[in-house]
């Protein structure tokens, strides 16, 4: 009897298991909870769907389930809610007539199951699974600043990626040059760890380790965080970083800047370069042309030689040596020739030419250069090109031919490469004066600054016939300028001023006539200068005792013209004012045609005369008379009368 009972019990248990597995009503497990997803800091709406059809929410209890432990957190009685003491006491409230429980300020600790349970008509419950999400901060990546050698036998740390304050833990993916990296034995290893903050959020740290090669010296690495929010899947990328990759030097070479034809005066840099990292220790040497031995040059930086300014002596063969401090192996570069083009030793013969008037002169120019040269001759005073070639011939020399001549030697193929040499040609003769005589209008008891210029060969000296402060200044080897500061006195007005230039071959004199400025009686002729306080010399106009004298034309007085214009404006202003006054008083009727008489009282009609008086100086009136040069009588002061009686 015992064995049949045991068999029956076993069959009954098996039948029950089959019924549960087959989903027989009343015997199945509880249904999956309803899923509610929210972000950290927002409000979760927990809706109880037990009595949605009947709308009976008079008696509902809310529980939180954490680690299979139920805790009562809220009661609903007769439509009124009451929080239970605990962590949810101040964050729960009823909505939707009691059908929904609102949980504010959601945190990662709130990710659990919430259930609502009713008492009538029978005990039922509804389970809600709350899922919480938080996007992590932008990933922060730090590259290995110490560098990675390519001969390392194991993967070395490349970079570290940190994603802070995310929930749940995000997924990290590493990229090199835009391509994702995967775990690869002895080549790529990704090590990740996470930390739970007090807020419940996660901080993820991922370390990328890899074995790099020389081609990875410019590789771009970055990390990507993949995470989920209620709105869907998202991702954030870090910035790209590079990692120093160390590899041995295989080749050393030289570079020269600037590229192309070099000339004296340029700033030239000679650089040593190598294909290793870190670069080796460089030294630059130049071959001595006489001994053919290499002599080390002093560099301002590791492997940089600066030639400033470059000179022709810097030309030669240069070589660079690269010493690898790890292996102590020295690698040489190929020798490179440096050529600094130059123009030097420009010489003109004869160096100090002296000639008599009427003779001839031949000037020859020579120079040294690394390239083909072109010559041209220029006049120093004017810059005019006189001849193209190394020889300049001057025939039938005049005094005006004396002065500076410049020979320019240049290299056409290299712009800016040229040198010049100046030679002064001296023509024997007595002094030449810049002017023979000049009249100056001055004021008494004022200090004049007078100047006198003379030229000749031998070089002349200048003297003055009056006492004052004199000084001389050489304009060129054959021309001198003397200045004199003197006080205008009555005696000086009588005697005038003379400057005398003299040398071994003769002398010459310039005369300065001084006249007092008198605004009422001054009547200068066309050959006088008014209002001048200094005497200036024209370098191109010469006068001396041995040549035909020509009197220099004096500049017109601009002050006279200005005074005349002002007087005319005043006259017009007075006329306009009078006519406007008569018009306003009704004395000057205006008609559309013809002339009308100005109406005046009978007693005053014959007395109304408008007088316009000119204050022009005599010389100003002379300027206004035109080019004929007619003058008024001495008693005529330029008065004019306009009779408006008829």
């Amino acid at each position: 009897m015992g064995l049949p009972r045991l068999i029956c019990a076993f069959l009954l248990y098996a039948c029950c298991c089959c019924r549960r597995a087959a989903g027989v009503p009343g015997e199945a497990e509880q249904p999956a909870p309803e899923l509610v997803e929210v972000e950290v800091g927002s409000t979760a709406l927990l809706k109880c769907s037990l009595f949605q059809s009947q709308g009976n929410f008079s008696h509902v209890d809310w529980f939180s389930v954490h680690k299979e432990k139920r805790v009562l957190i809220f009661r609903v009685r007769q439509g009124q809610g009451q929080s239970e003491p605990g962590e949810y006491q101040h964050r729960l409230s009823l909505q939707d007539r009691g059908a929904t429980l609102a949980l504010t300020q959601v945190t990662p600790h709130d990710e659990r199951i919430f259930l609502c349970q009713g008492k009538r008509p029978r005990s039922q419950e509804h389970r809600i699974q709350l899922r919480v999400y938080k996007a992590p901060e932008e990933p922060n990546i730090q590259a290995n600043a110490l560098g990675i050698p390519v001969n390392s036998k194991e993967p070395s740390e490349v970079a570290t990626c940190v994603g802070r304050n995310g929930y749940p833990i995000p997924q990290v993916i590493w990229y090199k040059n835009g391509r994702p990296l995967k775990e690869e034995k002895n080549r790529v290893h990704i090590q990740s760890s996470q930390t739970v903050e007090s807020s419940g959020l996660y901080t993820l740290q991922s370390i990328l380790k890899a074995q790099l090669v020389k081609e990875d010296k410019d590789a771009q690495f970055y990390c990507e965080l993949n995470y989920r929010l209620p709105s869907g899947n998202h991702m954030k990328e870090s910035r790209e970083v590079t990692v120093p990759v160390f590899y041995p030097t295989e080749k050393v070479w030289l570079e020269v800047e600037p590229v192309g034809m070099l000339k004296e005066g340029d700033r030239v840099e000679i650089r040593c370069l190598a294909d290793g990292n870190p670069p080796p220790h460089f030294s630059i040497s130049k071959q001595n042309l006489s001994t053919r031995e290499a002599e080390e040059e002093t560099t301002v930086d590791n492997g940089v030689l600066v030639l400033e300014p470059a000179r022709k002596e810097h030309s030669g063969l240069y070589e660079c040596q690269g010493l690898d401090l790890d292996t102590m192996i020295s690698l040489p570069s190929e020798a490179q020739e440096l050529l600094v083009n130059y123009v030097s030793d420009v010489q003109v013969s004869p160096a100090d030419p002296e000639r008599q008037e009427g003779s001839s002169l031949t000037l020859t120019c020579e120079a040294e250069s690394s390239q083909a040269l072109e010559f041209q001759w220029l006049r120093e005073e004017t810059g005019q090109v006189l001849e193209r070639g190394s020889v300049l011939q001057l025939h039938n020399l005049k005094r005006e031919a004396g002065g500076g001549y410049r020979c320019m030697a240049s290299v056409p193929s290299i712009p800016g490469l040229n040198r010049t040499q100046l030679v002064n040609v001296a023509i024997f003769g007595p002094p030449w004066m810049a002017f023979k005589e000049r009249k100056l209008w001055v004021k008494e008891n004022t200090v004049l600054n007078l100047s006198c210029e003379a030229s000749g060969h031998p070089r002349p000296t200048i003297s003055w016939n009056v006492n004052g402060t004199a000084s001389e200044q050489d304009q060129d080897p054959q021309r001198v300028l003397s200045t004199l500061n003197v006080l205008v006195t009555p005696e000086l007005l009588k005697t005038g001023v003379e400057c005398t230039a003299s040398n071994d071959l003769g002398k010459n004199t310039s005369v300065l006539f001084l006249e007092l400025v008198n605004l009422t009686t001054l009547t200068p002729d066309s050959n006088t200068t008014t209002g001048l306080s200094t005497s200036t010399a024209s370098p191109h106009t010469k006068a001396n005792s041995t040549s035909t004298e020509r009197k220099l034309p004096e500049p017109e007085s601009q002050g006279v013209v200005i005074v005349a214009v002002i007087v005319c404006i005043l006259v017009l202003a007075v006329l306009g004012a009078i006519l406007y006054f008569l018009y306003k008083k009704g004395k000057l009727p205006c008609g559309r045609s013809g002339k009308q008489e100005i109406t005046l009282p009978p007693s005053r009609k014959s007395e109304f005369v408008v007088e316009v008086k000119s204050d022009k100086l005599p010389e100003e009136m002379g300027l206004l008379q035109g080019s004929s040069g007619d003058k008024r009588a001495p008693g005529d002061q330029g008065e004019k009368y306009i009779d408006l009686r008829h």
Side-chain angles (χ1 to χ4, degrees), residues 392-407:
L392 174 65
Q393 293 184 344
L394 302 174
H395 302 286
N396 192 20
L397 293 172
K398 303 295 182 183
R399 292 184 177 181
E400 291 78 5
Y405 293 82
R406 187 173 293 276
C407 171

Side-chain angles (χ1 to χ4, degrees), residues 429-436 452-456 458-465 472 478-482 498-511 543-545:
W432 315 331
M433 308 304 293
F435 60 89
K436 191 63 180 174
C452 183
E453 182 180 313
S455 60
R459 175 191 175 280
T461 58
I462 296 178
S463 60
W464 298 84
N465 70 329
E472 286 189 1
Q478 286 87 42
R479 187 160 54 102
V480 63
L481 175 68
S482 178
E498 291 184 359
C499 67
T500 301
S502 59
N503 64 8
D504 295 341
L505 301 179
K507 64 180 179 178
N508 211 337
T509 302
S510 290
V511 181
N544 56 70
S545 59

Side-chain angles (χ1 to χ4, degrees), residues 350-389:
D352 297 305
E354 296 178 329
R355 293 292 186 273
Q356 299 287 341
E357 283 190 283
S359 62
S360 298
L361 174 64
T362 299
L363 298 175
T364 304
C365 186
E366 296 179 347
E368 293 183 359
S369 177
S370 56
Q371 304 289 337
L373 286 173
E374 285 188 358
F375 295 90
Q376 61 180 0
W377 288 91
L378 301 93
R379 191 71 160 111
E380 177 67 11
E381 289 80 1
T382 63
Q384 177 187 3
V385 178
L386 303 177
E387 185 69 40
R388 297 188 182 276

Side-chain angles (χ1 to χ4, degrees), residues 265-304:
D266 287 345
R267 185 183 190 276
V268 179
E269 285 190 5
I270 303 176
R271 293 180 175 273
C272 281
L273 299 174
D275 61 354
N277 189 33
H281 176 74
F282 295 112
S283 61
I284 298 178
S285 59
K286 177 189 173 185
Q287 188 182 76
N288 190 311
L289 296 180
S290 58
T291 63
R292 299 296 178 179
E293 293 182 358
E295 298 178 355
E296 187 172 345
E297 299 287 328
T298 302
T299 58
V300 297
D301 194 5
N302 183 26
V304 180

Side-chain angles (χ1 to χ4, degrees), residues 114-132:
F114 293 86
L115 65 86
C116 62
Q117 187 177 55
K119 296 297 182 181
R120 290 184 294 271
R122 68 178 184 270
S123 180
Q124 293 182 348
E125 63 182 29
H126 177 69
R127 302 169 68 89
I128 301 172
Q129 175 67 59
L130 181 62
R131 296 289 187 189
V132 181

